[in-house]
């Protein structure tokens, strides 16, 4: 069965410091991987995705993520955190191939708190 | 372009009552998804439509939940009768037709927060 794990319920970082939000996945075959962000009382907002190719993908608001196939991980990173980055972050995976319906399997979410 | 629209934004009902949610996807998006997000958890897919046909409803509790997308555009999700455990945010998302085949991202609406008392 497909699954996504975000091992940290909350990540705290000081403004200006680098941040990492961790994600590991379990899916047969090659996955599509996504990061979404959710601000209070708002829907999920797409940040970035890995489809194929370069393992380092860049997305919105200065975020990037590194796909590591051997470790089945897709960690979200940013070199310098902003207070406005404080939000709830979700990692998601979908299967590729003929059985793929686009269904996203989400992790449980990680709250990022950036302090001034 | 306008985003995914959902209404109402908030709804409070008593258990055993019925409720309906409405979603209008982004113009031109043929694929529509309904997710349930329980507090503290990630969204879980309830049903996926391609135009007005169902692609995946394997996790929809069909004894109480129903959804339709009659004209292939907007959609309604209904719960009848509601249970306490249905308290959640119901998110609608849309994507380009067949977008899942090439990993196209989904666009989410603001959600409807349902409280069942």
């Amino acid at each position: 069965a497909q699954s996504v794990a975000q091992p940290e319920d909350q990540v705290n970082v000081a403004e200006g410091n680098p941040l990492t939000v961790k994600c590991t996945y379990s899916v047969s075959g090659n996955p599509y991987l996504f990061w979404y962000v959710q601000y209070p009382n708002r829907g999920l907002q797409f940040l970035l995705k890995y489809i194929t190719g370069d393992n380092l993908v860049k997305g919105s608001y200065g975020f990037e993520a590194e796909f590591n196939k051997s470790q089945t991980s897709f960690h979200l990173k940013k070199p310098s955190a902003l207070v406005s980055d404080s939000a709830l972050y979700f990692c998601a995976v979908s299967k590729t191939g003929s059985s793929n319906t686009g269904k996203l399997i989400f992790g449980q979410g990680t709250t990022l708190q950036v302090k001034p | 372009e306008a985003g995914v629209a959902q209404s109402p934004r908030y709804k409070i009902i008593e258990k055993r009552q019925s409720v309906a949610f409405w979603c209008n996807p982004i113009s031109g998006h043929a694929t529509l998804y309904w997710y349930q997000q329980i507090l503290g958890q990630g969204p879980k897919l309830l049903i996926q439509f391609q135009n007005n046909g169902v692609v995946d409803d394997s996790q929809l509790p069909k004894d109480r939940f129903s959804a339709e997308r009659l004209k292939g555009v907007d959609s309604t999700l209904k719960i009848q009768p509601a249970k306490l455990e249905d308290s959640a945010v119901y998110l609608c998302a849309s994507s380009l037709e067949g977008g899942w085949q090439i990993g196209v991202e989904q666009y989410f609406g603001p959600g409807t927060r349902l409280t069942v008392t």
Side-chain angles (χ1 to χ4, degrees), chain B:
Chain B
E1 65 180 6
V4 177
Q6 290 188 249
S7 67
R9 292 295 310 276
Y10 304 91
K11 190 74 175 178
I12 301 174
I13 62 172
E14 296 182 351
K15 59 183 179 183
R16 292 187 290 275
Q17 287 186 325
S18 63
V19 64
F21 312 128
W22 175 82
C23 171
N24 190 32
I26 292 173
S27 177
H29 281 193
T31 308
L32 185 147
Y33 311 80
W34 283 102
Y35 289 87
Q36 180 192 58
Q37 184 179 14
I38 294 172
L39 185 64
Q41 300 180 19
K44 181 185 79 172
L45 181 71
L46 292 175
I47 189 167
Q48 176 183 343
F49 292 95
Q50 173 74 14
N51 295 307
N52 60 354
V54 175
V55 175
D56 185 345
D57 64 355
S58 58
Q59 297 191 88
L60 186 73
K62 297 181 184 66
D63 58 335
R64 297 184 301 106
F65 285 64
S66 65
E68 61 183 13
R69 194 184 184 200
L70 294 177
K71 297 182 179 179
V73 180
D74 56 352
S75 174
T76 56
L77 176 69
K78 298 179 181 178
I79 307 175
Q80 183 179 12
K83 293 185 175 181
L84 295 177
E85 58 260 37
D86 298 332
S87 294
V89 175
Y90 291 85
L91 295 166
C92 180
S94 70
S95 69
L96 292 169
E97 180 170 5
W100 67 75
Q101 297 169 344
I102 52 173
V104 171
E105 60 270 22
Q106 297 174 23
Y107 294 84
F108 285 79
T112 296
R113 182 177 299 276
L114 174 66
T115 302
V116 183
T117 64

Side-chain angles (χ1 to χ4, degrees), chain A residues 21-68:
Chain A
V21 182
K22 296 180 180 177
C23 171
T24 59
Y25 64 91
S26 174
V27 65
S28 58
N30 297 315
Y32 293 144
L33 295 157
F34 301 82
W35 275 101
Y36 284 84
V37 60
Q38 188 174 37
Y39 297 99
N41 299 315
R42 296 176 66 177
L44 278 71
Q45 190 174 330
F46 169 76
L47 274 181
L48 51 78
K49 64 184 178 184
Y50 173 81
I51 302 301
T52 187
D54 194 346
N55 290 342
L56 184 65
V57 294
K58 295 186 183 297
S60 306
Y61 313 119
F63 284 93
E64 58 189 28
E66 186 167 13
F67 170 62
N68 187 317

